[in-house]
Amino acid sequence: MSQITLDPTDMPHLRIDGALVNLTTALGKQLSIYNKTAFLKIQKQSDEKNEGEVVFFSLEYKTGVTVTIYVRHSDTMGRQFLNVLYTLTADFKGRTQGICGLMDNNPANDLTGPNGELYTDPVKFADSWRILATNNQSGLYDSWSWNSSNFHADDVMDSTYTDPSHVPMYGLSNVSSDLLKKSRQTCLARKLPDNLLKSCIYDVAVTNDTSFAMQEVLLTGCPDQCSGKGRCVNQTCECLKGWTGEKCEIGTCPNCSTSNGKCIKGFCQCSVGWQGDTCSEKATCYDVNN
């Protein structure tokens, strides 16, 4: 989880099955988690000084789904914040719900709440998916819950999560005209395309942090946001280890044994009788007579 801190070099808290991970020693490494059905890749911050990036996580599942988490620091807000990108595959058509909507090529039903109610107000729709309950086993393997918090009990959460009366800022109606003007000027000066200009103005106005404009600049020129498998720097995708291509869309499966398996969606899929991340180990129970 991200934290409130004035030090931009502080690391967020990362837990795997409840245990804290030393991010300093884990940088640049690939961790096999969820019973080897997913890879967690951890990459250090980029060299772009104005980006405010602290660390970059990529969760890659055998299903082809990728969850990319950019942890950044805002000097103005005095805290870390997250940018999360979900990258799904066509296999999930019609199988999604929540604030990401229903991936069924029908935008008219995207604002469907947890009880099946179709909302017309995006704010009310977002609030309908807000989780207020707690889960005593949260943060542990196989304890994921869709209707209660998944934060670990030992992690201190701020009031924006725990206070049910807290209302997030969804619009710019409460932003002063001077700040809104400043935000527009800041973002227009970056010559952003329309799809990024609006989000830039919103981010700068809500946070009063002009560094958000630089983060939008870093997204320009990179197709498909690097497929969630890399970072966009100077209009070029810097791919995570194991991925290549203009959009980081090609899984290379480094060290995967071509004789004992094949690379599928970035994972080394082993042939019968072989196991391990690179399919180089004899399966322990293969050819056992019971």
PDB file of all heavy atoms in Angstrom, residues 49-68:
ATOM      1  N   LYS A  49      13.391  12.626 -13.883  1.00  0.00           N
ATOM      2  CA  LYS A  49      13.365  13.247 -12.557  1.00  0.00           C
ATOM      3  C   LYS A  49      12.018  13.886 -12.229  1.00  0.00           C
ATOM      4  O   LYS A  49      11.635  13.973 -11.070  1.00  0.00           O
ATOM      5  CB  LYS A  49      14.472  14.304 -12.461  1.00  0.00           C
ATOM      6  CG  LYS A  49      15.869  13.760 -12.753  1.00  0.00           C
ATOM      7  CD  LYS A  49      16.243  12.633 -11.816  1.00  0.00           C
ATOM      8  CE  LYS A  49      17.657  12.135 -12.097  1.00  0.00           C
ATOM      9  NZ  LYS A  49      18.022  10.979 -11.264  1.00  0.00           N
ATOM     10  N   ASN A  50      11.282  14.331 -13.232  1.00  0.00           N
ATOM     11  CA  ASN A  50      10.024  15.023 -12.973  1.00  0.00           C
ATOM     12  C   ASN A  50       8.831  14.084 -12.883  1.00  0.00           C
ATOM     13  O   ASN A  50       7.711  14.516 -12.692  1.00  0.00           O
ATOM     14  CB  ASN A  50       9.760  16.059 -14.077  1.00  0.00           C
ATOM     15  CG  ASN A  50      10.773  17.183 -14.051  1.00  0.00           C
ATOM     16  OD1 ASN A  50      11.228  17.580 -12.990  1.00  0.00           O
ATOM     17  ND2 ASN A  50      11.139  17.687 -15.218  1.00  0.00           N
ATOM     18  N   GLU A  51       9.080  12.807 -13.050  1.00  0.00           N
ATOM     19  CA  GLU A  51       7.969  11.867 -13.076  1.00  0.00           C
ATOM     20  C   GLU A  51       7.438  11.566 -11.684  1.00  0.00           C
ATOM     21  O   GLU A  51       6.271  11.258 -11.502  1.00  0.00           O
ATOM     22  CB  GLU A  51       8.416  10.576 -13.763  1.00  0.00           C
ATOM     23  CG  GLU A  51       7.290   9.593 -14.008  1.00  0.00           C
ATOM     24  CD  GLU A  51       7.786   8.323 -14.669  1.00  0.00           C
ATOM     25  OE1 GLU A  51       8.995   8.185 -14.879  1.00  0.00           O
ATOM     26  OE2 GLU A  51       6.948   7.464 -14.961  1.00  0.00           O
ATOM     27  N   GLY A  52       8.292  11.623 -10.678  1.00  0.00           N
ATOM     28  CA  GLY A  52       7.861  11.337  -9.316  1.00  0.00           C
ATOM     29  C   GLY A  52       7.648   9.866  -9.059  1.00  0.00           C
ATOM     30  O   GLY A  52       7.044   9.485  -8.059  1.00  0.00           O
ATOM     31  N   GLU A  53       8.135   9.015  -9.952  1.00  0.00           N
ATOM     32  CA  GLU A  53       7.904   7.582  -9.784  1.00  0.00           C
ATOM     33  C   GLU A  53       8.767   7.017  -8.666  1.00  0.00           C
ATOM     34  O   GLU A  53       9.945   7.336  -8.543  1.00  0.00           O
ATOM     35  CB  GLU A  53       8.201   6.852 -11.097  1.00  0.00           C
ATOM     36  CG  GLU A  53       7.865   5.376 -11.053  1.00  0.00           C
ATOM     37  CD  GLU A  53       8.101   4.707 -12.397  1.00  0.00           C
ATOM     38  OE1 GLU A  53       7.558   5.203 -13.397  1.00  0.00           O
ATOM     39  OE2 GLU A  53       8.833   3.711 -12.430  1.00  0.00           O
ATOM     40  N   VAL A  54       8.176   6.167  -7.844  1.00  0.00           N
ATOM     41  CA  VAL A  54       8.883   5.528  -6.739  1.00  0.00           C
ATOM     42  C   VAL A  54       9.265   4.103  -7.118  1.00  0.00           C
ATOM     43  O   VAL A  54      10.414   3.690  -7.018  1.00  0.00           O
ATOM     44  CB  VAL A  54       8.019   5.531  -5.460  1.00  0.00           C
ATOM     45  CG1 VAL A  54       8.743   4.812  -4.326  1.00  0.00           C
ATOM     46  CG2 VAL A  54       7.680   6.962  -5.054  1.00  0.00           C
ATOM     47  N   VAL A  55       8.279   3.339  -7.566  1.00  0.00           N
ATOM     48  CA  VAL A  55       8.521   1.950  -7.959  1.00  0.00           C
ATOM     49  C   VAL A  55       7.390   1.522  -8.891  1.00  0.00           C
ATOM     50  O   VAL A  55       6.313   2.137  -8.915  1.00  0.00           O
ATOM     51  CB  VAL A  55       8.607   1.037  -6.708  1.00  0.00           C
ATOM     52  CG1 VAL A  55       7.259   0.926  -6.026  1.00  0.00           C
ATOM     53  CG2 VAL A  55       9.175  -0.339  -7.046  1.00  0.00           C
ATOM     54  N   PHE A  56       7.638   0.478  -9.651  1.00  0.00           N
ATOM     55  CA  PHE A  56       6.725   0.050 -10.700  1.00  0.00           C
ATOM     56  C   PHE A  56       6.513  -1.456 -10.560  1.00  0.00           C
ATOM     57  O   PHE A  56       7.468  -2.229 -10.563  1.00  0.00           O
ATOM     58  CB  PHE A  56       7.372   0.413 -12.046  1.00  0.00           C
ATOM     59  CG  PHE A  56       6.722  -0.150 -13.269  1.00  0.00           C
ATOM     60  CD1 PHE A  56       5.372  -0.029 -13.476  1.00  0.00           C
ATOM     61  CD2 PHE A  56       7.486  -0.770 -14.251  1.00  0.00           C
ATOM     62  CE1 PHE A  56       4.779  -0.521 -14.623  1.00  0.00           C
ATOM     63  CE2 PHE A  56       6.919  -1.265 -15.398  1.00  0.00           C
ATOM     64  CZ  PHE A  56       5.558  -1.144 -15.588  1.00  0.00           C
ATOM     65  N   PHE A  57       5.246  -1.875 -10.377  1.00  0.00           N
ATOM     66  CA  PHE A  57       4.914  -3.291 -10.226  1.00  0.00           C
ATOM     67  C   PHE A  57       4.139  -3.775 -11.449  1.00  0.00           C
ATOM     68  O   PHE A  57       3.331  -3.039 -12.014  1.00  0.00           O
ATOM     69  CB  PHE A  57       4.032  -3.535  -8.998  1.00  0.00           C
ATOM     70  CG  PHE A  57       4.640  -3.125  -7.691  1.00  0.00           C
ATOM     71  CD1 PHE A  57       4.277  -1.937  -7.088  1.00  0.00           C
ATOM     72  CD2 PHE A  57       5.566  -3.927  -7.051  1.00  0.00           C
ATOM     73  CE1 PHE A  57       4.825  -1.548  -5.878  1.00  0.00           C
ATOM     74  CE2 PHE A  57       6.121  -3.551  -5.837  1.00  0.00           C
ATOM     75  CZ  PHE A  57       5.747  -2.356  -5.253  1.00  0.00           C
ATOM     76  N   SER A  58       4.359  -5.015 -11.814  1.00  0.00           N
ATOM     77  CA  SER A  58       3.561  -5.631 -12.870  1.00  0.00           C
ATOM     78  C   SER A  58       3.191  -7.042 -12.439  1.00  0.00           C
ATOM     79  O   SER A  58       4.060  -7.879 -12.195  1.00  0.00           O
ATOM     80  CB  SER A  58       4.341  -5.671 -14.187  1.00  0.00           C
ATOM     81  OG  SER A  58       3.575  -6.306 -15.198  1.00  0.00           O
ATOM     82  N   LEU A  59       1.883  -7.284 -12.313  1.00  0.00           N
ATOM     83  CA  LEU A  59       1.371  -8.622 -12.011  1.00  0.00           C
ATOM     84  C   LEU A  59       0.926  -9.255 -13.323  1.00  0.00           C
ATOM     85  O   LEU A  59       0.017  -8.746 -13.988  1.00  0.00           O
ATOM     86  CB  LEU A  59       0.187  -8.541 -11.049  1.00  0.00           C
ATOM     87  CG  LEU A  59       0.488  -8.573  -9.553  1.00  0.00           C
ATOM     88  CD1 LEU A  59      -0.763  -8.208  -8.766  1.00  0.00           C
ATOM     89  CD2 LEU A  59       0.979  -9.948  -9.123  1.00  0.00           C
ATOM     90  N   GLU A  60       1.557 -10.346 -13.702  1.00  0.00           N
ATOM     91  CA  GLU A  60       1.248 -11.008 -14.961  1.00  0.00           C
ATOM     92  C   GLU A  60       0.711 -12.408 -14.670  1.00  0.00           C
ATOM     93  O   GLU A  60       1.388 -13.230 -14.059  1.00  0.00           O
ATOM     94  CB  GLU A  60       2.500 -11.080 -15.837  1.00  0.00           C
ATOM     95  CG  GLU A  60       3.075  -9.700 -16.157  1.00  0.00           C
ATOM     96  CD  GLU A  60       4.470  -9.766 -16.752  1.00  0.00           C
ATOM     97  OE1 GLU A  60       4.930 -10.889 -17.054  1.00  0.00           O
ATOM     98  OE2 GLU A  60       5.105  -8.710 -16.903  1.00  0.00           O
ATOM     99  N   TYR A  61      -0.532 -12.653 -15.103  1.00  0.00           N
ATOM    100  CA  TYR A  61      -1.196 -13.923 -14.832  1.00  0.00           C
ATOM    101  C   TYR A  61      -1.154 -14.831 -16.057  1.00  0.00           C
ATOM    102  O   TYR A  61      -1.099 -14.364 -17.195  1.00  0.00           O
ATOM    103  CB  TYR A  61      -2.655 -13.675 -14.431  1.00  0.00           C
ATOM    104  CG  TYR A  61      -2.812 -12.925 -13.132  1.00  0.00           C
ATOM    105  CD1 TYR A  61      -2.790 -11.534 -13.108  1.00  0.00           C
ATOM    106  CD2 TYR A  61      -2.967 -13.600 -11.930  1.00  0.00           C
ATOM    107  CE1 TYR A  61      -2.926 -10.836 -11.921  1.00  0.00           C
ATOM    108  CE2 TYR A  61      -3.107 -12.911 -10.737  1.00  0.00           C
ATOM    109  CZ  TYR A  61      -3.081 -11.529 -10.740  1.00  0.00           C
ATOM    110  OH  TYR A  61      -3.209 -10.837  -9.562  1.00  0.00           O
ATOM    111  N   LYS A  62      -1.219 -16.127 -15.810  1.00  0.00           N
ATOM    112  CA  LYS A  62      -1.192 -17.088 -16.912  1.00  0.00           C
ATOM    113  C   LYS A  62      -2.397 -16.940 -17.832  1.00  0.00           C
ATOM    114  O   LYS A  62      -2.367 -17.391 -18.974  1.00  0.00           O
ATOM    115  CB  LYS A  62      -1.119 -18.517 -16.364  1.00  0.00           C
ATOM    116  CG  LYS A  62       0.265 -18.909 -15.865  1.00  0.00           C
ATOM    117  CD  LYS A  62       0.359 -20.391 -15.571  1.00  0.00           C
ATOM    118  CE  LYS A  62       1.794 -20.780 -15.212  1.00  0.00           C
ATOM    119  NZ  LYS A  62       1.930 -22.230 -14.948  1.00  0.00           N
ATOM    120  N   THR A  63      -3.449 -16.320 -17.339  1.00  0.00           N
ATOM    121  CA  THR A  63      -4.634 -16.087 -18.167  1.00  0.00           C
ATOM    122  C   THR A  63      -4.382 -15.024 -19.230  1.00  0.00           C
ATOM    123  O   THR A  63      -5.183 -14.863 -20.148  1.00  0.00           O
ATOM    124  CB  THR A  63      -5.809 -15.628 -17.296  1.00  0.00           C
ATOM    125  OG1 THR A  63      -5.430 -14.433 -16.593  1.00  0.00           O
ATOM    126  CG2 THR A  63      -6.207 -16.705 -16.304  1.00  0.00           C
ATOM    127  N   GLY A  64      -3.274 -14.297 -19.097  1.00  0.00           N
ATOM    128  CA  GLY A  64      -2.980 -13.211 -20.020  1.00  0.00           C
ATOM    129  C   GLY A  64      -3.293 -11.844 -19.448  1.00  0.00           C
ATOM    130  O   GLY A  64      -2.966 -10.821 -20.044  1.00  0.00           O
ATOM    131  N   VAL A  65      -3.934 -11.803 -18.283  1.00  0.00           N
ATOM    132  CA  VAL A  65      -4.272 -10.538 -17.636  1.00  0.00           C
ATOM    133  C   VAL A  65      -3.023  -9.931 -16.998  1.00  0.00           C
ATOM    134  O   VAL A  65      -2.197 -10.642 -16.422  1.00  0.00           O
ATOM    135  CB  VAL A  65      -5.351 -10.752 -16.556  1.00  0.00           C
ATOM    136  CG1 VAL A  65      -5.579  -9.476 -15.755  1.00  0.00           C
ATOM    137  CG2 VAL A  65      -6.649 -11.211 -17.194  1.00  0.00           C
ATOM    138  N   THR A  66      -2.901  -8.620 -17.120  1.00  0.00           N
ATOM    139  CA  THR A  66      -1.807  -7.900 -16.466  1.00  0.00           C
ATOM    140  C   THR A  66      -2.383  -6.761 -15.635  1.00  0.00           C
ATOM    141  O   THR A  66      -3.265  -6.036 -16.096  1.00  0.00           O
ATOM    142  CB  THR A  66      -0.822  -7.318 -17.495  1.00  0.00           C
ATOM    143  OG1 THR A  66      -0.260  -8.376 -18.263  1.00  0.00           O
ATOM    144  CG2 THR A  66       0.310  -6.573 -16.797  1.00  0.00           C
ATOM    145  N   VAL A  67      -1.904  -6.621 -14.410  1.00  0.00           N
ATOM    146  CA  VAL A  67      -2.241  -5.479 -13.560  1.00  0.00           C
ATOM    147  C   VAL A  67      -0.949  -4.713 -13.314  1.00  0.00           C
ATOM    148  O   VAL A  67      -0.014  -5.235 -12.708  1.00  0.00           O
ATOM    149  CB  VAL A  67      -2.864  -5.919 -12.223  1.00  0.00           C
ATOM    150  CG1 VAL A  67      -3.221  -4.690 -11.384  1.00  0.00           C
ATOM    151  CG2 VAL A  67      -4.095  -6.786 -12.451  1.00  0.00           C
ATOM    152  N   THR A  68      -0.894  -3.498 -13.833  1.00  0.00           N
ATOM    153  CA  THR A  68       0.298  -2.673 -13.713  1.00  0.00           C
ATOM    154  C   THR A  68       0.046  -1.574 -12.689  1.00  0.00           C
ATOM    155  O   THR A  68      -0.970  -0.885 -12.761  1.00  0.00           O
ATOM    156  CB  THR A  68       0.660  -2.042 -15.068  1.00  0.00           C
ATOM    157  OG1 THR A  68       0.685  -3.065 -16.070  1.00  0.00           O
ATOM    158  CG2 THR A  68       2.018  -1.378 -15.009  1.00  0.00           C
TER     159      THR A  68
END
